[in-house]
Amino acid sequence: MRKIMLLLLGLLLVLGATSNANAEFIPPNIDELLDDYYDVSGEPDLSVSMVLDPELESGETSKIFVRLVNSGQAGTFEAENEPSGPNESMDASTELDLEYDITTAVNIHATLKNEAGAPIRVFSDPQQIGYLRSGEVAPPMEFDIEIFKNAPSGIYELTLDLTYQYQSDVKVDSYPNQRIDYWYVTKNQTLPIYIEVRPRADLVVEDIRSQLIADEEGLLYITYKNVGNEVAEDAVARITVSEPFSTTDDEAFLGTLGPGDSYKAQYSIEVDSDALPKSYGIDTEVEYKDIHGNTRISDSMKVSTTVEEKGKSLLPFRYLLAIIVAGIAGVYFYVRRSKEGIN
């Protein structure tokens, strides 16, 4: 029987300890405190920092890691009521110890937002942290973001909206069977997070020209332009063709393209004899080195080129040639008649 009683007593102690621990994490809903012994000033003071400064570029999707630090400090305390007797003195002593938990933030919710209209998209849902005592650093929170493809280089601001509770007051009474009541308040806090978008080259197709006829070798002209804000050095453009095209001339050296610079590349392409007269797609990309010497490759771009009907492209030339021949003949006969008339 004694063993059973000891076991039950142990279970009660464990449940009591669990209840007190949970009070640290999830604030209970209570009525406003009326009488207590002490009033300690202070509150949590949360700040945020990046775990690593990511090297982000326009058009890139990345993860950022941020962490919270609690630098809250408890201030002075005031005596509200003088304890009367040894039991109240024990309650007052316990209360004073608990009052200094005023700097602990509990039930923290963090939401990353783009409120300043930065060219950034945030994908992640709100993150949650159980509690953070003064002087502690929370585990890193992870957020997924995307930099818009046309985002200029620069520093952009995102905001981390925080909502949490902290213990504003506590009351202890009824020693030795102490009852502890907590009074929690909610605090909202907004912290800035700065994202730096590095300069980058951005190679795009500006113009396309072609002279392609079935069963002949023709030329494809592609003009590339650097619309980014960084120099692209040793740029080499490549094309990838499929039926009805083939080529052994699939690379063109563009050289160094500064921001706004263009270069017209030429490719020699053979067209199959059974190629239908219509538009076809050809893939192209540009490999280059950035200002740090790192090799980069542009996004794959699809260009459209047309195979013309066989002989169709020669008609204007033939008409022009006939006109030129007729003109020369007319001049010849005119000069000849003029000479005959003089004679």
Side-chain angles (χ1 to χ4, degrees):
M1 187 67 179
R2 185 179 179 182
K3 290 183 178 179
I4 294 175
M5 293 298 294
L6 290 174
L7 179 60
L8 291 174
L9 179 61
L11 288 174
L12 289 173
L13 291 174
V14 170
L15 290 174
T18 303
S19 176
N20 288 337
N22 286 339
E24 238 181 9
F25 299 103
I26 305 175
N29 295 322
I30 64 169
D31 295 329
E32 185 175 357
L33 301 177
L34 299 177
D35 297 317
D36 58 359
Y37 298 103
Y38 301 105
D39 183 18
V40 176
S41 64
E43 61 182 20
D45 182 14
L46 302 186
S47 59
V48 64
S49 63
M50 301 282 287
V51 176
L52 295 172
D53 291 328
E55 297 180 348
L56 301 178
E57 295 182 349
S58 58
E60 181 179 0
T61 299
S62 181
K63 296 181 183 295
I64 61 171
F65 298 89
V66 299
R67 59 187 172 194
L68 295 175
V69 179
N70 187 355
S71 304
Q73 297 291 327
T76 58
F77 72 92
E78 298 178 358
E80 297 289 333
N81 296 290
E82 289 291 335
S84 176
N87 287 354
E88 288 192 4
S89 295
M90 293 299 296
D91 289 337
S93 177
T94 301
E95 179 187 322
L96 183 59
D97 290 339
L98 294 175
E99 286 280 1
Y100 284 95
D101 280 338
I102 194 172
T103 57
T104 299
V106 298
N107 198 23
I108 305 170
H109 288 77
T111 304
L112 187 63
K113 294 183 178 180
N114 180 5
E115 297 181 338
I120 299 173
R121 182 178 292 109
V122 179
F123 294 107
S124 298
D125 294 327
Q127 307 288 315
Q128 185 172 358
I129 299 174
Y131 70 96
L132 193 61
R133 293 189 176 92
S134 178
E136 291 183 341
V137 180
M141 294 180 290
E142 177 182 316
F143 295 96
D144 293 317
I145 64 172
E146 178 189 10
I147 312 298
F148 291 174
K149 183 174 176 56
N150 59 348
S153 60
I155 297 177
Y156 298 95
E157 180 179 313
L158 301 178
T159 54
L160 189 68
D161 285 1
L162 302 176
T163 300
Y164 56 91
Q165 290 81 41
Y166 68 93
Q167 173 192 296
S168 175
D169 205 352
V170 63
K171 177 185 177 182
V172 181
D173 59 18
S174 303
Y175 182 85
N177 300 315
Q178 289 179 328
R179 185 175 70 116
I180 303 174
D181 291 332
Y182 300 91
W183 178 250
Y184 282 86
V185 295
T186 298
K187 182 177 180 180
N188 298 313
Q189 193 173 354
T190 299
L191 302 173
I193 293 179
Y194 297 101
I195 304 296
E196 183 175 2
V197 178
R198 295 193 316 170
R200 61 164 288 183
D202 188 8
L203 281 301
V204 299
V205 171
E206 184 180 39
D207 188 42
I208 307 148
R209 294 282 189 274
S210 63
Q211 299 172 356
L212 302 179
I213 303 170
D215 199 27
E216 292 186 14
E217 183 174 349
L219 296 176
L220 171 66
Y221 301 94
I222 301 179
T223 301
Y224 301 91
K225 184 175 182 179
N226 182 2
V227 297
N229 43 26
E230 182 182 278
V231 174
E233 298 181 349
D234 298 331
V236 177
R238 299 186 181 89
I239 59 172
T240 302
V241 300
S242 57
E243 293 183 353
F245 303 131
S246 61
T247 182
T248 56
D249 179 27
D250 59 354
E251 288 190 354
F253 183 70
L254 310 182
T256 298
L257 296 178
D261 289 349
S262 300
Y263 188 91
K264 185 177 183 180
Q266 174 183 303
Y267 303 95
S268 179
I269 295 179
E270 294 182 2
V271 185
D272 292 346
S273 59
D274 57 352
L276 297 176
K278 65 174 187 177
S279 295
Y280 295 88
I282 294 177
D283 293 325
T284 184
E285 64 183 18
V286 181
E287 180 179 305
Y288 62 94
K289 291 183 180 179
D290 62 19
I291 59 175
H292 304 288
N294 300 318
T295 299
R296 297 187 176 274
I297 299 177
S298 71
D299 295 335
S300 180
M301 299 167 281
K302 187 173 289 292
V303 300
S304 178
T305 185
T306 302
V307 173
E308 299 176 357
E309 293 182 10
K310 189 175 180 61
K312 181 178 180 181
S313 63
L314 296 178
L315 291 177
F317 177 75
R318 288 174 177 173
Y319 290 145
L320 179 62
L321 182 61
I323 292 172
I324 294 174
V325 171
I328 294 174
V331 172
Y332 171 76
F333 286 115
Y334 175 78
V335 173
R336 183 176 178 181
R337 288 181 179 180
S338 296
K339 288 183 177 179
E340 290 176 353
I342 295 174
N343 294 333

